[in-house]
Amino acid sequence: MALREILHFPDPRLRLVARPVEGVDDSVRTLIDDMFETMYAAPGIGLAATQINVQRRILVADVSEDQSAPHCLINPEILSRDGEEEMDEGCLSVPGFYERVRRAERIRVRALNRDGESFEMAVDGLLAVCIQHEIDHLDGKLFVDYISTLKRNRIRKKLVKQAARAPSEGPSLAGSAANL
Ligand code: K1U
Ligand code: ZN
């Protein structure tokens, strides 16, 4: 297993739309193991492959307090949404910032598991919010897209400044900021 580098906003690679996984083989399972390791080490409650610069439709999540409820979803599809809820969200790609986002309260999702078998699950609460957040990543969308342009630009400026100050802690963004 290996820890992978997490891309930070406003890295343009976070805007790419991930492609479906065509076959679940050992290379996909190794990637999933790396994603869990990276998510737990961060620490976080979710991670999408896009965040580690792999444009494949894979997400992992675990909202338990003791790493006891790992979920891996390959090619996830939301089949239905129900209700609305507003929650403070964070993002490992937007470190240090939390904003309120409104999402569906309950969702039904279909996906493949790590053996390539199709399954469906009904989820609510934090796991439902987390899965919606991760599917957004697979579509090149970030939680900062739901807040005002003013707030988003402030966050972008601060993260670009931080990356310029500590280039070893993440990919350099200073040169690309003007284009985003
Ligand atoms: O996708 C990501 O960037 C992971 C993100 C998931 C998420 C958090 C909150 C609401 C929706 C989606 C995170 O895990 S941010 C870190 C975080 O929330 C956390 C970290 C340690 C303990 C508990 C929570
Ligand atoms: Zn995120």
Side-chain angles (χ1 to χ4, degrees):
M1 291 213 292
L3 279 181
R4 306 284 194 107
E5 181 181 57
I6 297 176
L7 303 177
H8 287 173
F9 177 72
D11 192 308
R13 292 170 292 183
L14 288 167
R15 297 307 190 176
L16 299 173
V17 176
R19 297 187 302 276
V21 173
E22 276 161 18
V24 182
D25 56 15
D26 283 347
S27 71
V28 170
R29 282 184 278 273
T30 300
L31 170 63
I32 291 165
D33 291 342
D34 288 355
M35 289 176 65
F36 273 116
E37 189 179 357
T38 304
M39 176 188 79
Y40 287 132
I45 57 169
L47 189 74
T50 307
Q51 292 176 278
I52 54 165
N53 195 28
V54 175
Q55 280 75 48
R56 287 288 186 282
R57 300 191 76 82
I58 304 173
L59 69 85
V60 296
D62 186 345
V63 302
S64 73
E65 285 182 6
D66 54 359
Q67 305 186 357
S68 61
H71 295 278
C72 160
L73 281 74
I74 302 168
N75 298 342
E77 284 173 77
I78 296 182
L79 302 175
S80 62
R81 297 174 164 80
D82 190 15
E84 259 188 13
E85 129 174 271
E86 244 189 8
M87 225 183 243
D88 274 343
E89 290 192 18
C91 180
L92 299 174
S93 296
V94 190
F97 296 91
Y98 290 84
E99 294 290 344
R100 247 175 148 59
V101 177
R102 188 174 308 150
R103 299 197 187 263
E105 194 181 348
R106 288 172 294 278
I107 54 171
R108 186 161 190 88
V109 202
R110 181 194 296 140
L112 301 179
N113 65 18
R114 58 182 292 136
D115 296 317
E117 299 159 344
S118 179
F119 69 98
E120 288 185 18
M121 65 196 282
V123 285
D124 60 12
L126 183 55
L127 184 57
V129 168
C130 184
I131 288 175
Q132 291 172 79
H133 175 115
E134 305 310 332
I135 291 176
D136 270 358
H137 275 304
L138 302 179
D139 291 326
K141 198 162 181 182
L142 295 165
F143 84 94
V144 293
D145 299 341
Y146 295 101
I147 64 178
S148 72
T149 307
L150 183 70
K151 275 189 180 173
R152 185 166 55 254
N153 284 341
R154 279 194 188 140
I155 293 173
R156 174 189 286 122
K157 234 175 152 177
K158 285 183 185 165
L159 288 179
V160 168
K161 234 185 193 172
Q162 268 177 34
R165 246 188 272 126
S168 59
E169 284 171 26
S172 172
L173 304 170
S176 59
N179 305 321
L180 300 164

